[in-house]
Amino acid sequence: MAYSEKCSLEVLTLYMFLVALSFAYFAKALSGSYMKSTITQLERRFDIPSYLIGVIDGSFEIGNLLVIAFVSYFGAKLHRPKIIAVGCVLMSIGTFIIALPHFIIGRYEFETSVRWVVNSTLNPAPCPVGSPPDLALDGCEGESNLSMWIYVLLGNVLRGIGETPVQPLGISYIDDFASEENAALYVGCVQTISVVGPVFGYLLGSLCAKIYVDIGFVKMETISITPADARWVGAWWLGYLIAGVITLLSAIPFWFLPRSLPISGPQSPEKCTPEQTSFIKDSPLLKHKYPADEHSSFIEMAKDFIPTLRTLLGHPVYLIYLCVTIIQLNSLIGMVTYKPKYIEQHFRQSASKANFLMGVINIPAVALGMFSGGLLMKRLKLNIMGAARFAFGTSLIGYILSLFFFAMSCENAKVAGVTLNYNSLEGISYDKHSVFTTCNSGCYCSATEWDPVCGENGITYVSPCLAGCTSSVGSGKNTVFSNCSCIGVDGNFTASTGQCPNKDDCDRMFPYFLALSVITSFIISLGGTPGYMLLIRCIKPQLKSLALGFHALATRTLAGIPAPIYFGAIIDTTCLKWGQKRCGGMGACRIYNTTAYRIAYLGLTLSLRTISFVICIPGFILLSRQLKKEERNAIHGTLANGGTELEALRKQELLMCNCDQSQQISDNSTDRETRL
């Protein structure tokens, strides 16, 4: 009875580990997706271009790669639950470091000519005349020489280091102490939970993007911008604090879990229930199934590593599969990283709405697609070639559907001097000096600031000064600028704060974009599981672990790190109006050329996938040859085995005949002796 209770305790401990690991997976997925949801917020807060955001995003993979080899090798020989706990604590600290700059750099200040005053008659003139305004760079002396985004990058590197032990050590722990039939189920449960994390991550990003960055420290009625404004920065730091606390809580259970789950004692494991015996893999009845490789020294393994790796990379099908997945992951990572930004800039949606739609619509579609792909593979009983064709077919259908995104376009926002000419009101301008014209020549305006106002004529002007407005009434968001010489011929027209909506064409097109996005995400995700099974089945079983490890290393190095950087750099080339840092220098982009942005973003995504399809052609040919060769070898082996068995039977029959003849001779001799 006592031993049965011990078995129950071991089962309960494994269940506790499973719950703890699922929570850790949820925490790391939540913080990772929240990072992607804050891209535009970080750009605006630290006044940095998109390619630097790509560097920050890729720094997570850099941190992961720094320690993955050591963790994977030495972590398995140490106390795995405690190593995972240390990793969760490091992830938590890294997440807190990302939020640290908010508490160092002071309040967020954006360019604006609107002031919060009780008496509107005290409003300064938007169009200063007579002498240039004081352009001294106030506050630069107190600004730190170290860019604050460096802290975000370092925090993300530390988060990547902390995430490293969670997956390999957690999955290996489950695999060691659960039966084969249960292990797959438990790993599937953990992976499912990890899909739920991004949903909550994007929803948290949506919530925080609605809240002003300095909430609690400023009076909200004094804020003259809205979440739809290109200068708006949400409470990005708040989500990192929440994610950090959740990650820290996920570390607690691992400190109390045992290093292993042995069954000790003289009693037979048969006293456990059948479920307990099958559940605990460390049972003496099962030890012969998992022999430890105690005879190979580290030096012998090191000597064998290079030849084994050479054999793996000499496998043509694996090499082509590796190239295809690296190129497709470049496309996928770049697309996913900047998709919320694309929705914001192209369809003129707020960051909050873009993140909400990613979390509620896109992520569940991907999860459902991956699950359905595995289910279809099981139902259709696909072999290796069937899995390859299925993965290629779904990817090709998704590619064809993605071409329709090019047709889902919005017109550029109507901004005088940027997308429209002041005089003819048509044609895109890339010259910053075109914002100056005869109607605002009497004003001493700055060409670098971004303080848009919407004129009565439906045109947005870069600032009330550049609109030629000479007076204003009201305060905050309710400020109205009047006597704007650039808006009307008589100069009696007014302007209000913020950009003009001009969203009619986008609002009609946006639902179709969302529907197509969900369909393509689902179809492409259908091939995820069959594609991964192709990786496992196309190589020899003894090379499987190395093949998976090298695949993860290659995709992270050649896709996870560079893709966000060069996608961001190409997006930066489509910027029409850059913000200006307080102390000089280029800041974050305020407005993009919508058409160029769409062509660059979608064109790069689909071009990479086109290249991957071309590489697939020789891959199918080589895979077909490999399967035919294996089939011939199997037939020859069967025939050889059959011939050997036939020869053995003949020898056995001959031996039996000889024995019978000997016995007959012996019997005849005995009879002869008897007769004598």
Side-chain angles (χ1 to χ4, degrees):
M1 181 66 182
Y3 193 75
S4 179
E5 291 176 358
K6 183 176 180 62
C7 290
S8 299
L9 182 62
E10 302 294 347
V11 174
L12 181 61
T13 304
L14 188 53
Y15 275 132
M16 288 174 60
F17 180 85
L18 186 65
V19 172
L21 187 65
S22 298
F23 188 38
Y25 262 70
F26 171 81
K28 75 182 183 71
L30 183 144
S31 58
S33 56
Y34 182 76
M35 163 62 76
K36 294 192 181 297
S37 75
T38 57
I39 279 180
T40 52
Q41 311 296 309
L42 295 175
E43 278 185 25
R44 296 168 185 173
R45 184 64 185 96
F46 300 111
D47 268 329
I48 55 177
S50 294
Y51 82 90
L52 275 181
I53 284 293
V55 173
I56 292 172
D57 189 70
S59 64
F60 176 84
E61 303 291 351
I62 294 173
N64 209 288
L65 291 172
L66 287 174
V67 295
I68 190 168
F70 300 100
V71 169
S72 298
Y73 183 77
F74 295 105
K77 302 177 184 301
L78 302 172
H79 196 300
R80 282 177 286 185
K82 287 188 177 179
I83 297 294
I84 295 173
V86 171
C88 291
V89 171
L90 288 177
M91 271 199 295
S92 177
I93 295 172
T95 309
F96 289 136
I97 291 175
I98 293 175
L100 183 63
H102 172 74
F103 303 97
I104 298 176
I105 58 178
R107 303 290 166 257
Y108 173 54
E109 297 179 9
F110 53 89
E111 318 108 304
T112 181
S113 57
V114 176
R115 299 289 180 267
W116 176 257
V117 287
V118 177
N119 188 351
S120 62
T121 59
L122 298 178
N123 285 3
C127 171
V129 294
S131 62
D134 184 13
L135 299 176
L137 300 174
D138 299 328
C140 286
E141 296 79 8
E143 193 173 80
S144 172
N145 292 326
L146 180 65
S147 297
M148 290 294 109
W149 63 267
I150 295 292
Y151 289 101
V152 180
L153 184 141
L154 294 176
N156 209 31
V157 170
L158 187 59
R159 203 171 63 82
I161 291 173
E163 190 266 350
T164 308
V166 177
Q167 181 173 353
L169 301 188
I171 298 300
S172 65
Y173 192 91
I174 291 175
D175 190 57
D176 284 349
F177 302 114
S179 63
E180 289 184 20
E181 60 271 17
N182 286 332
L185 174 64
Y186 301 147
V187 171
C189 291
V190 171
Q191 298 287 359
T192 303
I193 295 296
S194 69
V195 174
V196 177
V199 175
F200 284 87
Y202 278 107
L203 290 178
L204 180 61
S206 174
L207 176 65
C208 294
K210 286 182 180 178
I211 305 170
Y212 186 66
V213 60
D214 292 321
I215 185 73
F217 297 96
V218 296
K219 293 181 179 179
M220 289 308 298
E221 59 268 21
T222 65
I223 305 302
S224 60
I225 55 176
T226 64
D229 196 288
R231 295 164 293 171
W232 175 272
V233 176
W236 60 273
W237 53 274
L238 181 60
Y240 285 111
L241 294 181
I242 294 171
V245 170
I246 292 173
T247 309
L248 188 61
L249 291 174
S250 72
I252 296 174
F254 292 105
W255 294 107
F256 303 100
L257 290 167
R259 177 172 181 169
S260 60
L261 300 176
I263 299 179
S264 57
Q267 292 92 339
S268 168
E270 292 174 0
K271 292 186 178 181
C272 293
T273 64
E275 291 80 6
Q276 292 164 343
T277 307
S278 66
F279 191 87
I280 304 170
K281 188 177 288 187
D282 206 25
S283 168
L285 294 177
L286 299 172
K287 276 192 175 180
H288 67 280
K289 293 171 64 179
Y290 307 93
D293 191 7
E294 298 175 353
H295 303 290
S296 300
S297 66
F298 179 78
I299 297 174
E300 290 174 351
M301 286 190 292
K303 287 180 179 178
D304 191 48
F305 176 74
I306 298 299
T308 307
L309 183 61
R310 192 182 297 117
T311 303
L312 179 66
L313 296 180
H315 195 296
V317 176
Y318 176 77
L319 200 59
I320 287 178
Y321 179 89
L322 191 64
C323 293
V324 169
T325 51
I326 286 173
I327 294 171
Q328 287 201 342
L329 280 174
N330 269 274
S331 172
L332 179 65
I333 292 170
M335 184 266 292
V336 171
T337 301
Y338 293 101
K339 191 166 187 177
K341 181 182 175 75
Y342 179 76
I343 292 173
E344 289 178 51
Q345 299 297 331
H346 193 273
F347 294 99
R348 299 168 204 160
Q349 304 294 326
S350 66
S352 175
K353 187 173 182 179
N355 290 326
F356 178 81
L357 293 172
M358 281 289 290
V360 173
I361 297 178
N362 264 78
I363 302 298
V366 171
L368 181 62
M370 293 180 68
F371 175 78
S372 302
L375 195 62
L376 282 172
M377 189 175 180
K378 182 179 179 181
R379 289 283 177 88
L380 299 174
K381 298 179 180 178
L382 298 176
N383 57 12
I384 184 171
M385 181 58 81
R389 288 172 178 164
F390 186 86
F392 180 83
T394 54
S395 186
L396 184 61
I397 294 171
Y399 172 84
I400 294 169
L401 290 175
S402 297
L403 294 173
F404 289 98
F405 285 126
F406 283 104
M408 297 179 177
S409 60
C410 285
E411 294 181 2
N412 282 289
K414 298 177 180 178
V415 183
V418 179
T419 62
L420 298 172
N421 189 284
Y422 267 88
N423 299 322
S424 62
L425 295 181
E426 61 183 13
I428 293 178
S429 169
Y430 297 92
D431 183 7
K432 70 177 181 180
H433 299 293
S434 63
V435 294
F436 297 110
T437 186
T438 53
C439 63
N440 56 31
S441 58
C443 305
Y444 290 95
C445 307
S446 169
T448 57
E449 73 174 2
W450 176 259
D451 183 21
V453 292
C454 179
E456 276 190 82
N457 57 356
I459 306 297
T460 299
Y461 295 83
V462 173
S463 68
C465 180
L466 290 170
C469 303
T470 57
S471 61
S472 64
V473 293
S475 60
K477 297 175 185 176
N478 300 318
T479 302
V480 177
F481 301 93
S482 55
N483 298 323
C484 303
S485 57
C486 294
I487 296 178
V489 178
D490 299 329
N492 294 324
F493 290 87
T494 60
S496 56
T497 58
Q499 281 185 252
C500 297
N502 298 130
K503 289 174 58 179
D504 292 343
D505 59 329
C506 290
D507 288 342
R508 286 193 300 269
M509 190 62 67
F510 191 51
Y512 297 106
F513 170 83
L514 287 179
L516 186 60
S517 178
V518 169
I519 294 170
T520 52
S521 297
F522 174 77
I523 291 175
I524 292 173
S525 300
L526 278 174
T529 303
Y532 196 73
M533 294 307 297
L534 172 63
L535 168 63
I536 296 172
R537 293 179 183 177
C538 75
I539 41 122
K540 295 178 181 177
Q542 58 267 32
L543 295 174
K544 188 185 300 181
S545 297
L546 180 62
L548 292 171
F550 189 81
H551 178 265
L553 178 70
T555 51
R556 288 187 173 190
T557 306
L558 301 177
I561 296 173
I565 299 174
Y566 67 77
F567 261 80
I570 290 174
I571 288 171
D572 284 338
T573 63
T574 66
C575 183
L576 291 176
K577 175 68 177 174
W578 289 98
Q580 188 78 7
K581 290 185 178 180
R582 185 174 51 172
C583 297
M586 187 176 67
C589 185
R590 299 305 188 192
I591 185 170
Y592 291 87
N593 180 348
T594 302
T595 304
Y597 191 126
R598 182 178 73 256
I599 293 172
Y601 174 73
L602 297 176
L604 183 56
T605 301
L606 295 177
S607 296
L608 288 168
R609 288 169 63 185
T610 303
I611 296 170
S612 71
F613 290 143
V614 173
I615 300 175
C616 280
I617 297 171
F620 274 109
I621 296 171
L622 290 170
L623 180 61
S624 179
R625 288 178 181 175
Q626 177 184 322
L627 293 176
K628 288 179 180 178
K629 184 179 178 181
E630 289 176 357
E631 188 178 351
R632 284 196 302 269
N633 292 339
I635 292 171
H636 290 320
T638 304
L639 291 174
N641 290 335
T644 305
E645 290 174 4
L646 185 60
E647 187 66 26
L649 285 171
R650 286 175 179 173
K651 287 182 179 179
Q652 188 175 359
E653 287 177 1
L654 184 60
L655 184 62
M656 289 177 67
C657 288
N658 291 336
C659 288
D660 290 341
Q661 289 176 2
S662 299
Q663 183 67 33
Q664 189 175 357
I665 292 169
S666 176
D667 291 343
N668 291 338
S669 301
T670 305
D671 291 341
R672 198 178 298 115
E673 288 174 1
T674 304
R675 283 197 301 270
L676 289 171

